[in-house]
């Protein structure tokens, strides 16, 4: 295991080194929060794919393949579909807004009255997303070093908090590019073919497993529909995803780079399902489907390769964790704290102080995430609550603002409030893991949004004019150009 340990240690040291390098670049709010809005198509594609494909997509995706066969790809597949929809239909307009958060977009669209409550909902979502990603370190470090759960969470979380706090989005972007390469090599180019070969090839897999393991819809239509509702729509509105869209150099980069990343997600989804199916052939009676990834890596891969693949799993977790952390801190500082103080920053204050303030918030949120991760036991329930609140409370006012001119601030506030309360109440009635809360919560949010918007005075014409100008890229103040733009 010494070689495997060395691979992991070098990888972790590299993450910290990139955090230090990123700190030297992040001199302004724009650089710190959105990498100066100057990523080219290849770097943008890699970082976007890295953030959406986290531990749930890697370890969980293989686990679903172990449990359901090829149809286990649907969870990650719907993530890819959501990213494709965002990139093709919305990302260009989102990038042209030149904002930092989803709530800022809502303020622009509805006249400055929808941001705070939406910020609280978005903050809760990003916080839980960061927590669940951080918990995944325990699984990986247990396989690597037989490490205590609490120590593993502290170690993994501290590394992510360190490089995120140092360099902000620049550090996260650089580390995500490395993580994207490591995941591609470790999972797609190494683990996938080795798993299939060890299982005896596809013919042997078909001979040993029930036919439903090769049914594309074997996981069930209702489950697939729920995945679409939660993950596909969740990709359209999450702060962690939008903050990556804001890093694009041009709206064309956002559209085509995101399309490449979404397509990559579809391939990754199928790979995870195939690896899980192969693991079912080799280890038919594992105590937990989620242990399939770790088991096949630990028992079937040669020295060195095993370390690289485990580094790939660690990369998947770290990319999602760091993206969720900076999103959580950005929302907490810019959408909640600044408004509670009565100071709404538009990015034209003291840039050094703004970088310092955002850096402090990342550190505070990072410590909170680690503490909650240590105390929390049920990861699935926490993530379900987060996505239910996100989709049930924010999907309608965000998409409504982008697509329906008649939507009003009163309608948006009502939709967020009613959708959020309905989701929480229905989870208490039906259970956290039930499908009904997000179904009925979303319908309630939509109904209230339409009714209240039609019953109230239309949005002021000046607000809509300013909104359309921002969507067209005309109304935003030009940001200071950087001396060495990154166009990769």
């Amino acid at each position: 295991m010494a070689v495997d340990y060395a691979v992991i240690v070098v990888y972790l040291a590299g993450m910290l080194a990139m955090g230090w390098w990123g700190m030297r670049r992040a001199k302004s709010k724009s650089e710190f929060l959105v990498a100066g809005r100057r990523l080219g198509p290849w770097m943008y594609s890699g970082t976007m794919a890295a953030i959406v494909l986290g531990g749930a997509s890697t370890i969980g995706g293989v686990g679903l393949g172990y449990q359901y066969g090829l149809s286990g790809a649907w969870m990650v597949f719907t993530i890819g579909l959501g990213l494709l929809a965002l990139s093709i239909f919305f990302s260009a307009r989102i990038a042209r807004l030149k904002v930092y958060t989803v709530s800022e977009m809502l303020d622009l669209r509805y006249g400055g009255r929808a941001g705070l409550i939406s910020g609280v909902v978005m903050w809760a979502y990003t916080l839980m997303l960061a927590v669940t990603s951080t918990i995944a370190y325990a699984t990986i470090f247990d396989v690597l070093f037989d490490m205590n759960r609490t120590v593993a969470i502290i170690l993994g979380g501290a590394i992510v908090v360190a490089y995120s706090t140092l360099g902000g989005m620049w550090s996260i972007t650089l580390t995500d590019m490395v993580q994207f390469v490591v995941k591609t090599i470790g999972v797609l180019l190494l683990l996938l073919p080795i798993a299939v070969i060890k299982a005896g090839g596809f013919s042997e897999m078909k001979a040993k497993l029930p036919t439903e393991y090769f049914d594309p819809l074997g996981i069930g239509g209702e489950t697939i529909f729920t995945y679409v509702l939660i993950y596909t729509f969740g990709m359209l509105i999450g702060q962690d995803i939008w903050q990556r869209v804001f890093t694009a150099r041009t709206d064309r980069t956002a559209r085509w780079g995101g399309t490449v990343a979404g397509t990559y997600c579809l391939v990754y989804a199928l790979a995870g399902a195939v690896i899980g199916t192969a693991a079912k052939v080799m280890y038919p009676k594992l105590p937990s489907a989620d242990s399939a990834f770790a088991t096949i890596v630990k028992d079937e891969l040669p020295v060195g390769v095993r370390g690289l693949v485990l580094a790939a799993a660690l990369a998947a977790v770290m990319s999602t964790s760091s993206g969720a952390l900076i999103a959580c801190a950005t929302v907490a500082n810019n959408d909640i704290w600044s408004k509670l103080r009565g100071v709404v920053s538009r990015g034209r204050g003291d840039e050094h102080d703004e970088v310092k303030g955002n850096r402090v918030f990342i550190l505070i949120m990072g410590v909170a995430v680690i503490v909650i991760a240590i105390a929390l036991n049920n990861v699935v329930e926490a993530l379900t609550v987060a996505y239910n609140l996100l989709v049930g409370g924010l999907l309608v006012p965000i998409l409504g603002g982008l697509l329906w001119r008649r939507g009003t601030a009163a309608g948006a506030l009502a939709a967020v409030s009613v959708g959020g309360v309905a989701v929480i109440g229905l989870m208490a009635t039906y259970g956290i893991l039930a499908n009904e809360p997000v179904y009925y919560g979303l319908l309630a949010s939509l109904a209230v949004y339409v009714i209240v918007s039609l019953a109230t005075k239309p949005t002021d014409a000046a607000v809509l004019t300013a909104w359309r100008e921002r969507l067209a890229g005309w109304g935003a103040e030009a940001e200071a150009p950087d001396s060495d733009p990154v166009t990769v």
Side-chain angles (χ1 to χ4, degrees):
M1 293 291 290
V3 176
D4 297 324
Y5 293 161
V7 171
I8 299 298
V9 169
V10 169
Y11 168 76
L12 294 176
M15 297 300 99
L16 292 174
M18 289 185 181
W20 182 262
W21 189 86
M23 182 178 68
R24 300 173 60 187
R25 301 184 67 92
K27 302 299 184 183
S28 68
K29 179 180 179 180
S30 174
E31 290 281 353
F32 191 82
L33 294 182
V34 291
R37 306 188 195 277
R38 55 196 179 95
L39 297 190
W42 293 112
M43 186 171 282
Y44 177 87
S45 298
T47 58
M48 183 63 86
I51 188 175
V52 300
L53 296 174
S57 299
T58 304
I59 299 171
V62 171
L64 287 172
Y66 183 88
Q67 190 172 359
Y68 298 105
L70 298 185
S71 67
W74 273 106
M75 184 187 76
V76 183
F77 202 82
T78 55
I79 291 173
L81 292 178
L83 186 52
L84 285 172
L86 174 70
S87 302
I88 294 170
F89 299 112
F90 300 108
S91 63
R93 284 183 285 175
I94 292 170
R96 287 195 292 264
L97 290 174
K98 302 297 183 186
V99 295
Y100 292 100
T101 68
V102 174
S103 296
E104 283 186 47
M105 167 263 169
L106 291 173
D107 278 345
L108 283 171
R109 169 59 181 83
Y110 295 112
R113 290 178 289 168
L116 181 58
I117 187 172
S118 64
V120 172
V121 175
M122 189 65 77
W123 173 77
Y125 157 73
T126 53
L127 179 68
M128 284 297 100
L129 185 61
V131 166
T132 54
S133 299
T134 302
I135 290 173
Y137 297 129
T139 300
I140 298 171
F141 282 112
D142 179 59
V143 174
L144 283 171
F145 309 115
D146 193 23
M147 187 178 290
N148 174 270
R149 177 182 184 273
T150 299
V151 175
I153 290 173
I154 292 173
L155 176 61
I159 292 171
V160 169
V161 172
Y163 72 69
S164 300
T165 302
L166 287 172
M169 186 59 82
W170 262 123
S171 295
I172 293 170
T173 296
L174 295 170
T175 55
D176 276 359
M177 280 304 298
V178 175
Q179 289 158 358
F180 170 73
V181 172
V182 171
K183 280 192 289 191
T184 301
I185 296 173
V187 175
L188 298 185
L189 301 183
L190 293 176
L191 184 58
L192 175 60
I194 289 173
V196 172
I197 292 170
K198 292 281 188 177
F202 286 105
S203 58
E204 188 70 14
M205 291 163 62
K206 287 184 177 181
K208 290 187 175 181
L209 294 174
T211 55
E212 55 263 29
Y213 264 72
F214 302 92
D215 180 359
L217 304 178
I219 199 170
E222 184 178 356
T223 299
I224 295 171
F225 179 74
T226 303
Y227 284 159
V228 170
L229 201 60
I230 293 178
Y231 296 114
T232 300
F233 286 123
M235 288 295 107
L236 298 180
I237 58 175
Q239 170 68 24
D240 52 324
I241 309 302
W242 277 42
Q243 199 156 342
R244 295 311 174 96
V245 176
F246 300 150
T247 66
R249 184 172 178 81
T250 64
D251 53 10
R252 182 180 176 85
T253 295
R255 182 185 295 113
W256 292 109
T259 300
V260 171
T263 304
Y264 179 90
C265 291
L266 304 184
V267 175
Y268 200 88
L270 184 59
V274 171
I275 293 168
T277 304
K280 184 67 175 180
V281 174
M282 291 182 279
Y283 309 98
K285 295 183 180 181
L286 288 177
S288 169
D290 285 339
S291 65
F293 179 90
T295 302
I296 195 171
V297 169
K298 191 173 184 179
D299 294 349
E300 301 298 335
L301 299 186
V303 173
V305 173
R306 179 171 50 207
L308 183 59
V309 172
L310 286 171
L314 194 59
V317 175
M318 282 187 161
S319 57
T320 301
S321 180
S322 59
L325 176 59
I326 193 173
C328 177
T330 302
V331 171
N333 188 21
N334 292 268
D335 294 336
I336 300 176
W337 176 243
S338 63
K339 291 184 178 180
L340 291 176
R341 291 189 307 154
V343 179
V344 181
S345 171
R346 294 300 178 191
R348 290 292 159 189
D350 186 321
E351 290 287 323
H352 177 74
D353 287 346
E354 290 199 57
V355 171
K356 181 180 178 181
N358 282 291
R359 186 172 278 138
V360 168
F361 265 87
I362 290 180
L363 181 59
I364 293 172
M365 291 298 105
V367 172
V369 164
I370 292 172
V371 172
I372 296 171
I374 292 171
L376 197 64
N377 289 320
N378 198 317
V379 180
V380 175
E381 289 189 359
L383 194 59
T384 301
V385 170
Y387 269 102
N388 282 355
L389 281 173
L390 177 70
V391 174
L394 291 181
L395 179 67
V396 170
I398 292 173
L399 293 189
L402 289 169
L403 300 174
W404 190 39
R405 179 175 177 175
R406 188 60 180 81
T408 66
L413 288 171
V416 174
S417 302
V418 171
V421 171
V423 164
I424 293 172
L426 289 167
M427 283 191 293
T429 302
Y430 288 97
I432 290 177
L433 299 180
N435 294 326
E436 287 83 359
V438 71
Y439 294 168
Y440 299 141
L442 188 56
L443 288 174
S445 179
L446 177 60
V448 168
Y449 180 73
V450 173
I451 293 170
V452 174
S453 292
L454 292 175
T456 53
K457 183 180 178 181
T459 304
D460 186 83
V463 172
L464 288 178
T465 298
W467 166 251
R468 287 194 295 271
E469 289 177 351
R470 289 293 284 268
L471 281 178
W474 300 337
E477 294 183 62
E479 298 187 23
D482 296 288
S483 59
D484 56 340
V486 174
T487 58
V488 176

